[in-house]
Amino acid sequence: MPAAPIQLTAHALLLDMDGTLVNSDAVVERCWGRWAERQGLDPAAVLAVAHGRQGHATMAALLPDRPVEVNLAENRRMLAEERADTDGVVPVPGAPAFLTALADLPHALVTSADEPLATVRMAAAGLPLPPVLITAESVGGSKPDPEGFLKGAAALGHDPADCLAFEDSGAGIEAARAAGARVVGIGPRALAHRPDAHADTLRDVTVTAGPDGTVTVTVRR
């Protein structure tokens, strides 16, 4: 017998992009795989760190002795590579219907991508950009720093405790929790980090608007 669905109520939703709305794993693996080989690092070990973080933060974690300015310069080159490569970028199953259901509800994109990359990837996946964007340019610290989620909640006019964050990565889940938000984990990476609810894809998530301005999220398991 399947487990009973989980229902969570919030006033606003904070949405990660890569791995949550958009499956960009093929691009991430290509770009970061090349970077790993140039640095003499194991690509699998690099990818284990890269998901959810801004590129320069990943580089700093893996090569802690390198100057910050070198990481920032390489990150700019990495972002250009990623913007130019959309082969295999597709929506996470259920993402189009999920975003359609959110059209009139308070929600924000909170991503470690910069705005140009977010725009390119959402377009490549055929998804509309949420009305509020919190991107790499918006924050001083990368996930797992909670700044992005704090700013997303503030932009929507709600306390983080009244928000639900949707995330796929350990760094993202840690950031959302540090901000005070509850977390719906999406996909296999999220499961190990014990989110408040977990869905294999967004097909398993239903959003219902309440008459009092709340949003009920039902997660089928």
Side-chain angles (χ1 to χ4, degrees):
M1 179 182 297
I6 293 177
Q7 286 195 329
L8 300 168
T9 301
H11 285 91
L13 305 185
L14 305 171
L15 313 175
D16 174 53
M17 182 180 69
D18 292 301
T20 301
L21 298 174
V22 174
N23 182 345
S24 56
D25 282 2
V27 178
V28 173
E29 289 171 8
R30 283 193 293 270
C31 292
W32 282 99
R34 290 193 296 267
W35 183 86
E37 290 172 2
R38 291 196 296 269
Q39 308 305 321
L41 299 173
D42 175 21
V46 170
L47 288 168
V49 176
H51 288 296
R53 290 177 167 84
Q54 292 183 35
H56 64 85
T58 296
M59 295 169 188
L62 292 165
L63 299 172
D65 296 329
R66 286 213 308 181
V68 172
E69 56 270 22
V70 174
N71 292 335
L72 291 173
E74 281 203 0
N75 186 50
R76 288 191 291 272
R77 289 193 290 271
M78 178 74 73
L79 286 169
E81 283 185 42
E82 291 182 296
R83 286 194 298 271
D85 185 355
T86 58
D87 188 23
V89 174
V90 295
V92 166
F98 175 73
L99 287 174
T100 296
L102 295 185
D104 297 320
L105 301 175
H107 64 289
L109 193 71
V110 181
T111 176
S112 292
D114 65 2
E115 187 169 344
L117 180 58
T119 301
V120 165
R121 283 197 175 152
M122 291 290 280
L127 298 174
L129 281 169
V132 174
L133 303 180
I134 306 297
T135 60
E137 301 95 330
S138 309
V139 297
S142 169
K143 298 173 186 177
D145 189 295
E147 183 182 3
F149 286 109
L150 292 171
K151 286 192 169 180
L156 295 173
H158 291 287
D159 188 279
D162 293 325
C163 297
L164 282 178
F166 285 70
E167 267 287 356
D168 74 300
S169 70
I173 290 172
E174 184 180 341
R177 283 195 171 132
R182 291 159 294 156
V183 184
V184 177
I186 303 296
R189 281 191 292 267
L191 194 55
H193 302 282
R194 303 179 65 84
D196 297 280
H198 178 266
D200 290 334
T201 74
L202 288 169
R203 284 179 177 156
D204 299 317
V205 178
T206 303
V207 177
T208 307
D212 58 351
T214 60
V215 181
T216 297
V217 173
T218 302
V219 181
R220 296 182 296 279
R221 296 184 288 166

